[in-house]
């Protein structure tokens, strides 16, 4: 009887994944905007730990949370024309009719506004809901009220973008929240934007509003969880079947 232990291994054509590759695919990337905050956290942890050991443990937990906050996961963007996808991770806090911010110079006509509220545990990297050209971008300083309040759209610090697409122009507004103190843009006026492309980041709790032209029906509901770059908010083609990779 042949020795089974001596039998040659059948070739499968597959290369075994190394341990390094496994770890690399498991760990969620961190956006470069977070590096300086992580470095500050590490230094503060080392200094405080020398003063009193419990301070070091507290600093370690805070530093780990900073790493988590600035995570920048890979997203699978739906590949079909006409879809409007969520620009932010978070909860659909409101769907209402409102006039877009005046600084965008869009017609002063009501549009359908979908608000996505991000708490401090959500990923805060924002992605373009559509493919198009950044027609205008305008930063407006303001207050830091609770981002869930309706008046935060007018009173809070915000960064508004008008994106021109073949199906019409939509507005996207990053709104700083109660804790947020800085909106960081990654793009400039005139830039082409791919659907799902990263266009900015808001630090530490905030909200993003998407203004859709009248007649475009939202495919999400208030209270629903949205995932940036994946959850479908609306469909310019007018199809009433809700589509989303996750979150619907």
């Amino acid at each position: 009887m042949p020795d089974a232990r001596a039998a040659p291994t059948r070739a499968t054509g597959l290369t075994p994944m190394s341990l390094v590759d496994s770890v690399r695919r498991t760990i969620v990337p961190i956006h470069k905007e977070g590096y300086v905050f992580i470095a500050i956290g590490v230094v503060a942890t080392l200094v405080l730990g020398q003063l009193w050991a419990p301070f070091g443990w507290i600093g370690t937990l805070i530093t780990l949370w900073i790493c988590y906050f600035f995570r920048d996961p890979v997203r699978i963007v739906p590949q079909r024309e006409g879809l409007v996808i969520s620009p932010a991770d978070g909860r659909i806090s409101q769907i209402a009719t409102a006039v877009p911010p005046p600084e965008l110079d869009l017609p002063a006509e009501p549009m359908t506004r979908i608000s996505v509220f991000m708490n401090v545990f959500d990923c805060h990297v924002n992605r373009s809901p559509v493919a198009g050209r950044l027609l205008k971008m305008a930063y407006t300083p303001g207050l830091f009220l609770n981002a869930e309040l309706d008046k935060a759209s007018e009173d809070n610090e915000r960064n508004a973008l008008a994106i021109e697409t073949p199906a019409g122009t939509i507005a996207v507004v990053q709104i700083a929240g109660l804790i947020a103190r800085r909106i960081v843009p990654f793009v400039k006026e005139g830039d082409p934007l791919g659907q799902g492309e990263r266009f900015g980041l808001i630090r530490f709790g905030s909200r993003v509003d998407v203004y859709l032209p009248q007649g475009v029906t939202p495919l999400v509901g208030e209270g629903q969880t949205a995932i940036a770059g994946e959850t479908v908010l609306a469909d310019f083609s007018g199809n009433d079947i809700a589509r989303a990779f996750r979150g619907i």
Side-chain angles (χ1 to χ4, degrees):
M1 176 181 289
D3 188 349
R5 292 174 298 178
T9 303
R10 185 175 60 181
T12 62
L14 299 177
T15 302
M17 182 182 296
S18 70
L19 178 60
V20 174
D21 289 336
S22 298
V23 173
R24 186 176 299 158
R25 295 190 182 189
T26 301
I27 297 176
V28 176
I30 297 173
H31 197 276
K32 62 181 181 179
E33 286 290 330
Y35 292 169
V36 64
F37 294 94
I38 295 170
I40 292 172
V42 170
V43 172
T45 297
L46 293 174
V47 172
L48 293 174
Q50 294 297 319
L51 299 176
W52 190 39
F55 284 161
W57 288 110
I58 294 172
T60 298
L61 292 176
I62 293 175
T63 303
L64 290 174
W65 175 77
I66 293 173
C67 293
Y68 180 74
F69 178 86
F70 283 102
R71 67 194 184 281
D72 186 15
V74 175
R75 296 290 162 80
I76 308 301
V77 182
Q79 300 296 309
R80 188 171 71 74
E81 291 186 12
L83 297 181
V84 181
I85 60 177
S86 178
D89 284 16
R91 176 173 54 84
I92 307 294
S93 59
Q94 187 183 61
I95 299 176
T97 300
V99 175
E103 62 267 22
L104 289 179
D105 297 329
L106 296 176
E109 300 175 355
M111 302 177 75
T112 300
R113 184 181 70 196
I114 302 177
S115 300
V116 183
F117 175 75
M118 298 176 284
N119 64 39
V120 294
F121 297 104
D122 289 317
C123 176
H124 276 55
V125 176
N126 300 145
R127 297 169 179 266
S128 177
V130 293
R133 184 175 69 91
L134 183 51
L135 193 64
K136 185 166 185 177
M137 182 169 68
Y139 169 79
T140 303
L143 304 176
F144 298 97
L145 305 174
N146 186 335
E148 286 202 87
L149 298 177
D150 191 54
K151 62 180 181 179
S153 297
E154 299 179 0
D155 296 339
N156 279 22
E157 174 190 356
R158 64 180 182 265
N159 188 49
L161 301 86
I163 305 175
E164 185 180 44
T165 79
T169 299
I170 73 167
V172 182
V173 185
Q174 298 169 289
I175 301 172
L178 189 63
I179 303 175
R181 288 295 184 272
R182 181 71 193 279
I183 299 174
V184 184
F186 304 155
V187 294
K188 61 183 184 301
E189 288 185 4
D191 282 353
L193 288 174
Q195 190 169 46
E197 179 180 344
R198 300 164 180 82
F199 71 82
L201 178 149
I202 315 176
R203 294 176 186 160
F204 310 122
S206 45
R207 183 176 118 197
V208 178
D209 290 344
V210 178
Y211 290 80
L212 304 171
Q214 284 289 0
V216 179
T217 304
L219 299 180
V220 290
E222 293 183 2
Q224 178 180 323
T225 298
I227 296 176
E230 294 191 358
T231 299
V232 176
L233 299 182
D235 187 348
F236 275 123
S237 69
N239 194 326
D240 290 332
I241 300 176
R243 300 181 178 90
F245 274 54
R246 291 195 294 230
I248 290 184

